[in-house]
Every structure is written in C-alpha cells, then in structure tokens.
Amino acid sequence: MKDKLIDLFEYTYHFNKEMIKTISENISKADEKAISLINHTLNAQQIWNSRILNEKSFEVWQINPFESLNEINHQNYLKSIGIIKNSDFDKRIEYHNSRGAKFENTVFEILFHAVNHSTYHRGQINSLLKQNGIKPILTDYIFYKR
C-alpha cells in the first residue's frame, strides 16, 4: 500500500511541476483564476500534511510568490512521502477546517483526498489554460504511467 501511495504522490508532484512550468511559460496569457488555483492546489496539500504532522499551515487561498511554487511543491512532496513511510494509515487525525468546524479522518483518507484534490484542480486549471489559448497538459494518471 505504501508503494502505491508513494507512486500517486510522485504523479501529483510531477504534474504539479508541469502545471507550474506551463503557467510560468505563458504567464502573460494565464488568468488570475489559474494562478489562484495552482496556489490553492499546493496550499491544500501543505495544509493536509500539516494537519497530520500537527504543524502550522498555509491559508487555503493564499497567493504565494510565483517563484516559490516549485519549492513549495517539492517540500509538499517530501513531507507527504515522509508521512507515508512513517505513519499508521489507520491513525485518526482530528483537525479543524478553514471555517473552524471539527472533523476526524484517518491518515489514509487524508492522503487519498490530497491526491484526488490536486487532480481535480489541475483539471480546472487545464480548462482555464485552454480558454486562454494555452495548450493544456495531458495530466491523466494513465499517461503518466505510459
């Protein structure tokens, strides 16, 4: 199971990096919503990691300096891999969402959500890129594995 989750986070890391690169290369045509969504995608993974590790987290919709996005992505990846290697997937984590509501989920559920959440938002970003005349990236998992 750990190897499968590591593979999914490698996929997430790879395509987050490709998305950052594409936006960067087309920054004059990329709209604010695409930039907001790539930030949100990275922020969310950092937040989920922080909830598991009981660390300080980013704000959900904070905008980071664009030149720091690759480093944030890399740090997210390293922390997620560390969590996978060192955590009990059945351990329940209590946390508060951005509105202050209290929830509890297992480490596995949180990790799976983080991957799924990133995939969802990369699809949204691709739609925005296409609308702005930027060639979208094929980010499907199966393309990654080919």
Side-chain angles (χ1 to χ4, degrees), residues 36-45 60-62 117 121:
S36 176
L37 282 170
I38 192 62
N39 275 275
H40 172 72
T41 300
L42 299 176
N43 294 345
Q45 185 176 349
V60 176
W61 289 102
Q62 80 180 42
H117 183 263
H121 285 304

Side-chain angles (χ1 to χ4, degrees), residues 11-57:
Y11 156 73
T12 297
Y13 173 66
H14 172 79
F15 279 118
N16 283 347
K17 189 166 53 171
E18 291 299 309
M19 195 62 70
I20 294 164
K21 179 182 174 198
T22 297
I23 293 170
S24 178
E25 290 172 349
N26 296 279
I27 199 74
S28 64
K29 294 195 303 187
D31 63 22
E32 287 182 32
K33 185 65 176 171
I35 293 168
S36 176
L37 282 170
I38 192 62
N39 275 275
H40 172 72
T41 300
L42 299 176
N43 294 345
Q45 185 176 349
Q46 191 274 348
I47 290 166
W48 288 112
N49 285 341
S50 295
R51 287 173 177 163
I52 294 169
L53 297 171
N54 197 29
E55 296 178 348
K56 185 174 175 5
S57 68

Side-chain angles (χ1 to χ4, degrees), residues 13 16 20 38-47 49 58 62-80:
Y13 173 66
N16 283 347
I20 294 164
I38 192 62
N39 275 275
H40 172 72
T41 300
L42 299 176
N43 294 345
Q45 185 176 349
Q46 191 274 348
I47 290 166
N49 285 341
F58 288 171
Q62 80 180 42
I63 301 298
N64 304 293
F66 199 85
E67 59 275 4
S68 69
L69 296 185
N70 276 313
E71 181 59 24
I72 292 168
N73 186 41
H74 185 70
Q75 289 304 313
N76 284 345
Y77 168 74
L78 293 176
K79 285 206 174 189
S80 294

